[in-house]
Amino acid sequence: MDVKKSSFDTLPFSKLFQHYISGNGTITDFFETHPANKGSVHESVDSFEFKGERSVGASILEKYNHEHLDHEVTRDQIGKVKKHDCLTVVTGQQVTLFGGPLYTVYKTITAILYAKKLEKETGRPVIPIFWLADEDHDIEEVSTINIPGSYDQTEITYSHIDYENAPPASTIQLGDELSTVQKLLKENLDETDFTADLLDQITSYYKSDRTFGGAFGDLLMSYFGKHGLLLAGSLNQTAKSHTTHLLKKAVKLHVNLTSSLDDTTYALKEAGYHDQVQVQPSNLFYLTESGERIKIQCVDDTWSIPSKKWSSSELLDEIDNHPEQFSPNVFLRPILQDCLLPVAAYVGGPGEIAYYAQMKEFYENFGYKMPIIVPRFSLTIFESAIDRILEKLPFEWQKYLDRIEDLEKEFVETTDSVDIEKMFGIWRSQIDELSRAKRDKIGDIDPSLKGSVGKAKATYFSELDKLKGKVYRSVKEQEKVQIDRIKRIKNNLFPNDNLQEREIAFIFFMNKYGNDLWDRVIDKLSDEDPYNHLTLHL
């Protein structure tokens, strides 16, 4: 296994993210601390003040992790959280089917390694925590994984019942549909020395009576619990009762909160960046008794969902009486995290970093300071077979982001002994020149026939283009082996014209390289940082 550094510049990442990675002065103004600035990081840690109750955070962690795979190191880690000087590094995402894409493990590995680094540098206990986004209800996002073949992808999708308003995805029971997606998974994974063990492990966690959240948590802890990872979330009574004051503050200060988000978002756009999340007057959702999660709207101090309306005072009373029925949006969730856990740093992907850029003043409205926002590792995995055929082709690996048609055309142009474009270009020029001369002579005979010369030339050019296409196809057929290699490389490195880390299920690589793959990756990345895109050569 070998790791090489590569620039983000030639890859499809936003300007905002690329400037954040490089420490560009404009974007860093939107954050409290840049993680690459060691002095600022230590200053942030030294001045860190946890405003919550450590016993509450520990209680939530005990409940969450007791429900999942309980390693001996897990209990030790929870014990450390109770200490007055303990810090946490948090990451998280939705509870995707069979663990989700590669970035799931890249986030997790970054949190584990950054926690170790911060602990070593500060001398304080630092715990990596994966926050299960257990209140999110984007069920489409959690329900699909991609398994690559040689030249295309197989999309495995869990089919839900039709929800008028979806519940939190973590609460959905897997039920009978699970057998369908498990069958598809087995059919589409190549059989290797590791397949039987991998499928046994997955089916031991993903059972019809389990939920998306429960199965996802078990799977994640089976691979990373031994590295000290803990799980957390807010869809529980303890979390709700201890964050009631924040939910109420989101109502009381909604004008100020909206204004601060609007102002920061405007400043981002003025600086040439994009806004990741649309700002709305309400940052709350309502959890109905039937389990649905519905966005609360706010217009002129009236709060509503389709079946209910509240004045601000009525809504505050209902939050007091039933905090379990209220849920934070993407802006409010980090505030709840920081209330429940001593979050010194948050590990996020490009999209998360973009919406944190909108939040600096939002934090201040709640009396909090934004934690250190650490970019997750971004990697592209190169299997040895891909490395070998890359050497036989004229393109840098980033070039395979191009359309397959453009890659094939460019390959034919660069490898054929005859310059097809040049040959046909000269041919067209010769015809054009000859046609002009003939047009004048024909015009002398009969001026009304001049237009017919142009039509004849257009017909000739049309036939010439058809012939050129046939020549290209002939060359492509002769170069079929290389063209197939181009398709295979593109499908492996940039499936669906996207980054590999965003598309491919991480269990795909475990099936080929073993259940200990991520242990080896953690060892290999222990001395790396996330400020370059890394290529991992297996």
Side-chain angles (χ1 to χ4, degrees):
M1 186 182 292
D2 190 23
V3 174
K4 298 177 183 177
K5 291 181 172 64
S6 185
S7 173
F8 282 104
D9 294 346
T10 55
L11 296 170
F13 291 94
S14 69
K15 174 183 173 183
L16 187 155
F17 176 73
Q18 295 202 38
H19 282 194
Y20 187 73
I21 286 289
S22 63
N24 178 279
T26 304
I27 192 59
T28 55
D29 291 343
F30 292 88
F31 296 85
E32 292 284 357
T33 306
H34 194 275
N37 187 326
K38 195 170 182 179
S40 295
V41 168
H42 288 180
E43 183 180 335
S44 176
V45 171
D46 290 343
S47 62
F48 180 84
E49 292 182 23
F50 179 51
K51 298 182 179 181
E53 298 178 37
R54 290 183 178 272
S55 60
V56 173
S59 174
I60 291 171
L61 293 172
E62 284 172 350
K63 178 181 184 299
Y64 247 85
N65 291 276
H66 177 71
E67 292 174 355
H68 296 281
L69 298 184
D70 197 5
H71 297 263
E72 184 175 346
V73 67
T74 303
R75 294 186 287 276
D76 292 340
Q77 293 287 76
I78 294 172
K80 291 178 185 177
V81 173
K82 299 176 183 179
K83 296 181 178 180
H84 73 282
D85 60 342
C86 182
L87 304 172
T88 65
V89 174
V90 175
T91 191
Q93 70 170 65
Q94 289 218 74
V95 290
T96 312
L97 180 70
F98 301 141
L102 284 160
Y103 65 66
T104 303
V105 296
Y106 298 163
K107 280 183 171 183
T108 308
I109 288 171
T110 309
I112 289 168
L113 291 178
Y114 193 77
K116 288 181 179 178
K117 177 183 178 182
L118 209 57
E119 185 169 281
K120 183 178 180 181
E121 291 179 354
T122 64
R124 300 172 66 165
V126 185
I127 311 300
I129 293 179
F130 194 101
W131 186 279
L132 302 178
D134 53 4
E135 300 197 52
D136 286 1
H137 65 288
D138 187 350
I139 61 174
E140 290 185 4
E141 185 176 323
V142 306
S143 302
T144 299
I145 62 166
N146 285 323
I147 303 295
S150 294
Y151 303 107
D152 57 12
Q153 315 296 312
T154 296
E155 189 177 88
I156 298 175
T157 299
Y158 180 101
S159 297
H160 293 273
I161 63 172
D162 290 331
Y163 292 105
E164 184 176 352
N165 294 288
S170 66
T171 66
I172 296 174
Q173 192 170 25
L174 290 162
D176 294 339
E177 173 66 11
L178 177 63
S179 61
T180 301
V181 292
Q182 285 179 333
K183 182 174 182 287
L184 286 171
L185 179 64
K186 184 176 181 179
E187 289 173 351
N188 285 281
L189 286 176
D190 292 336
E191 189 166 349
T192 71
D193 292 342
F194 311 109
T195 305
D197 286 344
L198 177 66
L199 291 175
D200 283 347
Q201 192 173 41
I202 289 172
T203 54
S204 71
Y205 307 137
Y206 280 81
K207 298 180 179 180
S208 60
D209 61 346
R210 300 297 306 281
T211 61
F212 269 79
F216 179 94
D218 279 356
L219 189 70
L220 201 66
M221 287 300 282
S222 69
Y223 304 133
F224 298 107
K226 59 190 169 187
H227 294 285
L229 185 73
L230 299 179
L231 300 179
S234 55
L235 194 59
N236 60 80
Q237 188 62 47
T238 304
K240 295 296 184 185
S241 62
H242 281 85
T243 56
T244 301
H245 65 293
L246 297 175
L247 300 174
K248 292 173 66 178
K249 205 165 189 176
V251 175
K252 294 175 183 176
L253 299 180
H254 77 274
V255 173
N256 290 344
L257 294 175
T258 303
S259 177
S260 68
L261 287 171
D262 279 338
D263 289 347
T264 305
T265 302
Y266 178 79
L268 271 173
K269 291 181 176 180
E270 284 289 292
Y273 302 114
H274 71 287
D275 56 324
Q276 182 70 17
V277 177
Q278 183 180 1
V279 178
Q280 297 186 15
S282 167
N283 293 295
L284 292 172
F285 286 83
Y286 187 77
L287 298 170
T288 69
E289 292 181 2
S290 61
E292 298 172 320
R293 186 173 187 250
I294 304 173
K295 177 69 178 175
I296 298 178
Q297 304 296 331
C298 178
V299 179
D300 297 332
D301 214 34
T302 296
W303 305 76
S304 66
I305 59 174
S307 60
K308 286 191 176 188
K309 282 188 178 181
W310 305 270
S311 65
S312 289
S313 61
E314 290 170 338
L315 184 59
L316 291 171
D317 286 342
E318 185 148 359
I319 293 173
D320 255 336
N321 294 326
H322 302 287
E324 71 281 356
Q325 291 187 294
F326 295 87
S327 177
N329 76 342
V330 67
F331 289 128
L332 190 56
R333 190 204 68 243
I335 305 299
L336 270 60
Q337 286 177 182
D338 290 11
C339 171
L340 297 170
L341 298 168
V343 183
Y346 183 84
V347 172
E352 290 166 297
I353 288 172
Y355 74 68
Y356 269 97
Q358 297 175 254
M359 288 187 62
K360 189 175 179 181
E361 288 187 24
F362 189 86
Y363 269 92
E364 293 170 1
N365 276 280
F366 287 92
Y368 285 90
K369 181 180 175 182
M370 184 189 293
I372 305 162
I373 307 301
V374 181
R376 65 161 170 81
F377 278 113
S378 176
L379 291 92
T380 299
I381 294 176
F382 286 69
E383 299 181 78
S384 58
I386 297 298
D387 265 330
R388 283 195 300 271
I389 59 177
L390 265 170
E391 295 173 358
K392 303 178 187 299
L393 290 158
F395 306 128
E396 295 294 324
W397 72 271
Q398 298 94 327
K399 180 71 175 173
Y400 290 90
L401 259 171
D402 290 359
R403 294 189 322 145
I404 190 65
E405 297 84 357
D406 295 335
L407 287 167
E408 291 175 356
K409 180 181 176 186
E410 188 170 339
F411 172 74
V412 170
E413 290 172 356
T414 57
T415 59
D416 190 61
S417 57
V418 178
D419 188 332
I420 297 173
E421 286 295 328
K422 182 179 179 181
M423 179 177 71
F424 277 88
I426 292 172
W427 198 344
R428 287 177 71 99
S429 296
Q430 290 172 337
I431 296 301
D432 196 42
E433 184 178 343
L434 182 61
S435 295
R436 280 198 299 270
K438 299 301 182 186
R439 180 177 180 273
D440 292 338
K441 289 184 178 181
I442 290 173
D444 290 340
I445 299 169
D446 184 347
S448 67
L449 296 176
K450 280 186 174 183
S452 297
V453 176
K455 291 179 182 178
K457 184 179 74 170
T459 301
Y460 195 98
F461 279 177
S462 176
E463 291 301 316
L464 209 58
D465 288 339
K466 291 178 184 177
L467 178 59
K468 184 172 71 171
K470 290 177 181 178
V471 173
Y472 268 119
R473 286 193 290 275
S474 177
V475 174
K476 282 172 63 175
E477 186 62 31
Q478 295 170 29
E479 297 287 353
K480 188 175 186 307
V481 171
Q482 294 292 65
I483 295 296
D484 284 348
R485 285 172 172 167
I486 289 172
K487 291 178 179 177
R488 185 178 172 193
I489 293 169
K490 179 173 177 60
N491 183 62
N492 191 282
L493 301 184
F494 298 104
N496 298 326
D497 294 321
N498 203 352
L499 290 168
Q500 183 192 81
E501 61 190 24
R502 297 175 185 166
E503 293 288 326
I504 303 303
F506 71 76
I507 58 174
F508 167 77
F509 287 101
M510 296 180 68
N511 180 59
K512 299 185 77 172
Y513 299 98
N515 277 352
D516 67 340
L517 173 62
W518 308 121
D519 299 333
R520 289 180 277 138
V521 172
I522 286 174
D523 289 340
K524 198 67 182 178
L525 298 183
S526 59
D527 295 324
E528 301 290 343
D529 62 51
Y531 307 114
N532 292 282
H533 182 82
L534 303 178
T535 58
L536 185 68
H537 301 260
L538 299 178

